[in-house]
DNA sequence: CACGTATTTGGGATTGAGTCTCGTTCTGTG
DNA sequence: CACAGAACGAGACTCAATCCCAAATACGTG
């Protein structure tokens, strides 16, 4: 192949972090690899448990450090689903992202994306005249299964 | 006056809770009165401190109980501004509400409302075909003062 | 008003996500 | 392979939030 493949999220993360002057380490690699495989957001505790279950336990401090680093660099997003319950998920390098509906009944997280919503936030930030770096949107209701 | 005045938020809260079979108690009254006077969201700790400063200290457990009750009945909203940092504010019975921008620099909360955003969320919920009871929107960026 | 019952309240113990510290281990470079 | 800086992890610690339960309070009834 002569053309450049679009980089995967992991590759993108590694290149961004390398460019920012970060070395590589086992803990970070593990967390990134795990996040790369997820369809939707995980909590820090779930990440800790998943890694331990895979036989490569990672210190709690490292997990939070990695997550903070990723969020700082716009590589992952924190989804606050409740008091003391943050979840994290990869952000696609293309800028494509989705938001979530959390079901009041079963607590399940449902992902969606909506250009109209993004456009509205865009217009809004222009109207406010402030620099909006990020937007959190979380809908609460009941999902199809709990309807 | 022969016409009915629009009820204040406190009155509305009391009638909703009475209808739901709740008795009145001092702690609840104090928290409701305090929230009614706020222009924007307070944390539970701020509420506790404010009430103590006013000479009517209220137990922590009661404060959280009242807040939960209000949120449950759609009378107040929880704004998750960060991990382990919830803020609460009254929801106007008319349905009028605002959202917030939280400043990365100074941490200040700036309120705004935007019909375009509300319309977009409306359309979205119709498109998804689910019943959306509530929507959280939180922008992150820098406020005018920190620009 | 006095009584009885259900609700509300609050002090204090407890939980648990998230943070901090600091000595150890690893990475990359020359 | 030596060195400096970066990354790691065990465990102490913080603090919002929850839980427990005995005491206080609200309110319908007589
Ligand atoms: Zn997701
Ligand atoms: Zn968006
Ligand atoms: Zn507000
Ligand atoms: Zn809205």
């Amino acid at each position: 192949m002569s053309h450049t493949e679009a980089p995967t999220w992991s590759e993108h993360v590694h290149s961004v972090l390398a460019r920012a002057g970060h070395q590589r380490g086992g803990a970070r690699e593990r967390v990134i690899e795990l996040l790369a495989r997820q369809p939707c957001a995980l909590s820090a505790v779930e990440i800790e448990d998943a890694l331990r279950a895979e036989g490569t336990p990672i210190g709690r401090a490292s997990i939070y450090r990695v997550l903070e680093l990723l969020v700082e660099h716009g590589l992952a997003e924190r989804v606050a689903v409740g008091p003391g319950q943050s979840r994290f998920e990869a952000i696609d390098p293309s800028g494509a992202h989705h938001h979530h509906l959390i079901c009041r009944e079963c607590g399940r997280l449902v992902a969606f994306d909506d250009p109209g919503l993004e456009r509205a936030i865009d217009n809004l930030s222009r109207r406010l005249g402030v620099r909006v770096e990020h937007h959190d949107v979380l809908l609460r209701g009941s999902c199809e299964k709990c309807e």
Side-chain angles (χ1 to χ4, degrees), chain A:
Chain A
M1 324 173 184
S2 58
H3 70 289
T4 308
E5 291 292 334
T8 65
W9 180 72
S10 306
E11 289 166 353
H12 178 238
V13 167
H14 285 133
S15 81
V16 168
L17 294 183
R19 216 173 306 141
H22 288 281
Q23 297 185 0
R24 287 187 166 216
R28 191 140 69 211
E29 300 284 317
R30 297 258 151 250
V31 175
I32 292 170
E33 276 166 28
L34 178 65
L35 276 184
R37 286 184 259 130
Q38 306 305 318
C40 206
L42 287 186
S43 72
V45 173
E46 285 168 347
I47 292 171
E48 190 175 5
D49 292 347
L51 290 173
R52 193 189 0 262
E54 289 178 5
T56 53
I58 299 296
R60 196 175 322 130
S62 298
I63 291 175
Y64 282 104
R65 255 192 309 252
V66 175
L67 292 174
E68 187 185 352
L69 190 67
L70 294 176
V71 170
E72 227 168 57
H73 286 81
L75 298 165
E77 173 181 16
R78 158 183 263 129
V79 183
V81 296
Q85 284 180 252
S86 294
R87 293 177 161 272
F88 298 84
E89 72 179 347
I91 291 183
D92 194 84
S94 73
H97 65 274
H98 58 253
H99 297 288
H100 302 91
L101 166 82
I102 182 168
C103 177
R104 273 213 205 293
E105 307 293 324
C106 65
R108 209 204 328 258
L109 221 52
V110 180
F112 64 84
D113 62 19
D114 188 68
L117 176 62
E118 302 303 326
R119 221 175 303 123
I121 291 174
D122 235 48
N123 293 337
L124 167 58
S125 74
R126 209 168 303 121
R127 175 169 79 76
L128 291 177
V130 298
R131 196 159 37 88
V132 174
E133 293 162 5
H134 188 72
H135 56 271
D136 293 339
V137 177
L138 187 62
L139 307 186
R140 294 174 193 277
S142 25
C143 67
E144 307 162 80
K145 298 190 177 174
C146 296
E147 182 53 29

